[in-house]
Amino acid sequence: MPTLTMYNHETVALDGEVFSDCEFRGCRLVYSGGEAPTFDGCRFDDCEWKFDDAAERTLAHLRVVWNNGGKGPVQAMIKEITGGGR
């Protein structure tokens, strides 16, 4: 579990990791669809969020759903993710 770590212009694999009070500057943060990472008190500055493997396929599937008449369900998921449904 990385704690109080500064990542500077690095590629960081996120799957299954727990980050506490870390800082990410100019990093490429890669999630591949495994266990979701946990961030506690972390800061992000000018980072790129990259989705690979299963995560990338999930986003591709949501794009297909959106483009084939499923805009409403995808919007509902986004609303749930962002807390807009409360």
Side-chain angles (χ1 to χ4, degrees):
M1 168 171 68
T3 302
L4 295 169
T5 303
M6 179 182 279
Y7 298 90
N8 195 16
H9 295 90
E10 299 177 44
T11 297
V12 181
L14 302 177
D15 292 58
E17 293 289 342
V18 177
F19 299 93
S20 181
D21 298 313
C22 294
E23 188 170 341
F24 301 87
R25 291 184 178 184
C27 291
R28 180 179 218 192
L29 305 171
V30 182
Y31 177 62
S32 297
E35 185 178 342
T38 301
F39 300 101
D40 179 36
C42 295
R43 286 170 280 152
F44 304 90
D45 180 36
D46 196 32
C47 292
E48 172 192 1
W49 295 84
K50 175 83 170 112
F51 299 91
D52 279 343
D53 304 328
E56 181 179 31
R57 289 189 298 275
T58 298
L59 291 177
H61 171 69
L62 289 172
R63 194 173 302 116
V64 168
V65 171
W66 178 278
N67 289 326
N68 287 282
K71 185 176 180 180
V74 174
Q75 286 178 319
M77 281 184 255
I78 293 168
K79 192 173 185 180
E80 183 180 330
I81 290 167
T82 62
R86 296 182 204 168

